[in-house]
Amino acid sequence: MTNASRTDWNVPLILLAISVIPFAAGIARLAGLPGNPEISTANARFVATPVPVVVHILGAILFPILSVLRLSSGLHQRSPHWHRVSGRVVVASGIFAALTGLWMTILSPIPPDLQGGLLYAGRVVVSVALLLSIFLAVAASKGTDTERHRTLMIRAFALGHGAGMQALLLLLWMLLMGEPSLLHRDLLMGLAWLINLLFAEMAIQRWSPRHSNLYRGTV
């Protein structure tokens, strides 16, 4: 592996590493749904309506993993067909993750000890923004505006990849400050999305000249 290709994979690998905790939590949630799981306040809403939970978790795992892999220009150059096919899966998984996220936020009864107004609003705004970014990105690709498509998909990835940064911030807070209050948890969760968006804007500026050909014909 050359120095250039190693550099090309630095960011994808870091982002995947941050996602280990939410991925593991999602898989554990899926494993606990079949059969007759013990009902608790934490899982009652998931057991009552498992379909949106399953779709959300699968979409929320596929969307960041494939998005991260698509950051590699080397992988794109070796397999342009894979890049196009994976683009369609990324779009579909992002849409399903956002729609089911809205469903669970608005229609599923959230336990009082987990229900914070700021987080509720943040989830609704982020889900809608994710959907809008993906739809606009697809429209831009159909109109051959590859630069706009690339920019919108990077922002969509930042929004859809919030769980990894949220887990990291919450873990750091608990190690330094102990269990966060409901307000602190909501603020940390919102801060994670803002940090991701900041990194997205930095990536857009940094990678534009070097990766401008990476997003042609992606969806």
Side-chain angles (χ1 to χ4, degrees), residues 1-207:
M1 183 179 291
T2 65
N3 290 335
S5 62
R6 280 197 296 269
T7 301
D8 189 43
W9 276 100
N10 283 343
V11 171
L13 289 177
I14 290 172
L15 293 175
L16 282 178
I18 293 175
S19 297
V20 168
I21 295 176
F23 288 170
I27 292 171
R29 177 71 68 189
L30 289 178
L33 287 177
N36 296 306
E38 182 178 350
I39 306 299
S40 66
T41 55
N43 72 356
R45 61 194 177 114
F46 303 130
V47 175
T49 54
V51 173
V53 179
V54 172
V55 173
H56 180 76
I57 292 174
L58 293 177
I61 290 176
L62 280 175
F63 183 73
I65 287 180
L66 291 179
S67 295
V68 164
L69 292 177
R70 285 161 56 77
L71 293 176
S72 170
S73 59
L75 185 59
H76 166 64
Q77 291 166 2
R78 288 192 297 271
S79 181
H81 177 69
W82 178 91
H83 193 75
R84 288 191 294 271
V85 172
S86 66
R88 291 173 171 83
V89 179
V90 166
V91 167
S93 60
I95 290 173
F96 281 124
L99 288 175
T100 51
L102 276 174
W103 174 284
M104 292 187 293
T105 298
I106 297 173
L107 299 178
S108 295
I110 302 175
D113 59 332
L114 297 177
Q115 187 172 10
L118 287 177
L119 183 57
Y120 179 92
R123 284 172 171 163
V124 171
V125 169
V126 167
S127 295
V128 172
L130 175 56
L131 285 171
L132 185 61
S133 296
I134 292 174
F135 286 135
L136 290 176
V138 171
S141 70
K142 300 303 181 184
T144 68
D145 190 348
T146 55
E147 183 67 17
R148 178 171 170 78
H149 169 76
R150 178 191 65 84
T151 298
L152 287 165
M153 287 306 296
I154 291 176
R155 289 172 181 154
F157 168 75
L159 293 170
H161 197 60
M165 184 61 69
Q166 288 167 348
L168 179 61
L169 292 183
L170 288 171
L171 178 61
L172 291 174
W173 180 278
M174 286 188 287
L175 290 174
L176 297 174
M177 307 293 293
E179 189 71 23
S181 66
L182 194 62
L183 176 60
H184 287 146
R185 184 213 61 182
D186 287 7
L187 290 174
L188 288 170
M189 300 278 270
L191 178 61
W193 280 310
L194 292 177
I195 291 174
N196 277 13
L197 286 173
L198 176 61
F199 280 130
E201 295 306 315
M202 293 170 61
I204 289 168
Q205 297 301 319
R206 179 178 179 181
W207 295 341

